[in-house]
Amino acid sequence: MVRAQGVAEVTDEDFEAEVLGVRGRPVLVEFTADWCGPCRQLAPVLSAVAAEEADRLKVVQIDADSNPGTVTRYGVLSMPTLLVFRDGEPVKQLVGARAKRRLLQELEEELAAAATA
């Protein structure tokens, strides 16, 4: 799996506890795979966002190839897919690699809500 530094890996087994069970701040989940070029481009972006927004956002990765249950459950069809969860519910989906500035702009609504929660 393409690992983003400082970003935890979750699996089908602990997805509920690590993502769905989080309250009070959104969780950004990247569905990734070894064979995914754009996932490699996104890894340093996720690392930076995870470090900068640690107080407002939890960032995790899940390997799509070894965790098919979660991939199927959320209808993930392409890599990388980013899902934002709030209080156990998916609230936003982003597909494809993007620059850090664009990702932060796209997450601004969720981050702002986390700051006021």
Side-chain angles (χ1 to χ4, degrees):
M1 179 175 93
V2 181
R3 292 293 313 230
Q5 194 171 358
V7 175
E9 182 180 350
V10 297
T11 64
D12 281 350
E13 288 71 39
D14 63 8
F15 191 84
E16 191 150 336
E18 294 294 326
V19 176
L20 304 183
V22 174
R23 299 289 179 256
R25 67 177 174 156
V27 182
L28 175 64
V29 180
E30 183 207 11
F31 290 81
T32 186
D34 281 334
W35 46 263
C36 168
C39 297
R40 279 189 281 283
Q41 294 174 325
L42 192 58
V45 172
L46 280 184
S47 295
V49 169
E52 287 174 26
E53 299 295 342
D55 55 333
R56 297 195 295 170
L57 180 71
K58 179 177 180 177
V59 182
V60 299
Q61 291 179 293
I62 186 165
D63 185 322
D65 291 332
S66 54
N67 297 284
T70 304
V71 170
T72 302
R73 180 176 181 182
Y74 294 102
V76 173
L77 300 175
S78 57
M79 303 306 138
T81 291
L82 301 168
L83 283 180
V84 180
F85 289 81
R86 177 177 294 291
D87 296 329
E89 296 295 319
V91 294
K92 179 173 264 188
Q93 178 173 334
L94 308 167
V95 178
R98 58 225 331 112
K100 183 177 105 179
R101 181 186 302 166
R102 180 172 162 210
L103 179 59
L104 287 171
Q105 286 172 340
E106 291 171 324
L107 295 173
E108 188 49 48
E109 190 177 317
E110 283 71 32
L111 293 171
T116 60

